[in-house]
Amino acid sequence: MSVARLTVVIMADVVIPVPGIRSVPLADLDFTVVDVETTGWAPEDAGITEIGAVRVHAGTTIAEFGSLVNPGTPVPQAITELTGISDQMLASAPPVAAVLPGLLAFAEGSVLAAHNAPFDLAFLTAACAGMGRAWPTFEVLDTVRLARHLMATPQEVPDRKLATLARFFGTPVRPSHRALDDARATAVVLDELLGRLADREGVMTLDDLDSWLAARDAEAAAQRAVAGTRDAEPDTASAPERWLAWLLRALRRRH
């Protein structure tokens, strides 16, 4: 079915999770992976130009949603060069107020996921507020945050960018700074990360995941604090001591 002009939704059977979603096994949940393209970096001074979403269950895509969005303002040339989305493409596109209700209906009953979720959610919640509509209380997963704790750097990947993770996991669709393609790639990355959570960490539910993420975030914060303390300490080592420390670090890097 279609929702608003220039919007495409491909639907299959959609599972609506039972009440008590936080204790439902992650493998039994629907996830709606969303991506937005915008005219800038903050919703206070930029608008949405495209929304893409993929609804998945047990790693299988069951529905897709995509629409160009007229932001009501010109698209900066730098954004057009990055995304390929131009003012001409958006001239007849629907405004966000015509597209967002379809997205919210599409995602109903699922867990939202995105790569760098705070960015996408900031624009979507601002658009909701602009319509005078309350944002639904979705559970949200951020694949950047998951990858930060599940992907070793630099042993596996040099960073946790979507393009890097998509290349590592061999996603069929590569990120292109277009919303639906990026959502498709993120959906595959999400499935791989959820697999690591279950196999390596024994994380099976959203409640498990919250506890696990809180512990990993605390560990990372403690490590940063220790590193900061070391950086702040005056270097009182003699030249031979500094040379020996450098040599030991170099030997450890080789092994």
Side-chain angles (χ1 to χ4, degrees):
M1 78 180 168
S2 65
V3 179
R5 200 162 34 134
L6 295 184
T7 302
V8 178
V9 182
I10 305 169
M11 295 294 294
D13 292 335
V14 175
V15 178
I16 303 299
V18 297
I21 187 174
R22 299 193 57 77
S23 60
V24 174
L26 295 172
D28 293 338
L29 294 176
D30 279 14
F31 294 87
T32 296
V33 182
V34 66
D35 184 85
V36 301
E37 299 300 327
T38 66
T39 61
W41 311 115
E44 294 79 13
D45 52 21
I48 295 172
T49 59
E50 189 175 36
I51 297 175
V54 177
R55 187 157 177 151
V56 295
H57 182 84
T60 299
T61 296
I62 56 177
E64 292 187 340
F65 178 103
S67 181
L68 290 170
V69 179
N70 190 325
T73 58
V75 180
Q77 182 60 33
I79 298 296
T80 296
E81 292 173 0
L82 178 67
T83 65
I85 299 173
S86 65
D87 289 329
Q88 183 178 3
M89 292 170 61
L90 301 178
S92 60
V96 70
V99 177
L100 193 53
L103 174 69
L104 297 180
F106 176 85
E108 184 180 0
S110 68
V111 177
L112 281 190
H115 199 72
N116 191 20
F119 175 86
D120 300 274
L121 268 292
F123 277 90
L124 293 173
T125 55
C128 255
M131 297 166 54
R133 178 169 179 167
W135 177 254
T137 54
F138 289 109
E139 299 285 348
V140 178
L141 292 188
D142 182 4
T143 50
V144 171
R145 189 181 179 200
L146 292 178
R148 187 177 298 126
H149 299 305
L150 289 167
M151 304 295 298
T153 55
Q155 296 91 334
E156 290 185 303
V157 291
D159 54 58
R160 283 90 172 193
K161 295 177 182 177
L162 180 56
T164 302
L165 298 178
R167 186 164 51 250
F168 180 85
F169 290 121
T171 63
V173 177
R174 295 302 172 88
S176 62
H177 293 291
R178 293 300 302 268
L180 189 52
D181 278 354
D182 286 8
R184 288 167 173 159
T186 303
V188 175
V189 170
L190 173 66
D191 187 55
E192 294 285 351
L193 294 176
L194 291 178
R196 288 189 172 205
L197 278 171
D199 296 341
R200 299 182 181 183
E201 307 295 336
V203 172
M204 306 305 292
T205 67
L206 288 173
D207 277 336
D208 292 344
L209 181 56
D210 273 359
S211 298
W212 183 83
L213 282 172
R216 300 293 84 72
D217 286 346
E219 289 174 3
Q223 291 170 357
R224 288 194 297 271
V226 170
T229 301
R230 288 173 178 167
D231 291 342
E233 291 175 353
D235 187 4
T236 59
S238 64
E241 289 172 333
R242 288 195 297 271
W243 179 86
L244 180 58
W246 174 87
L247 179 60
L248 289 173
R249 287 195 300 271
L251 289 173
R252 281 196 294 266
R253 283 197 294 269
R254 290 183 62 185
H255 299 282

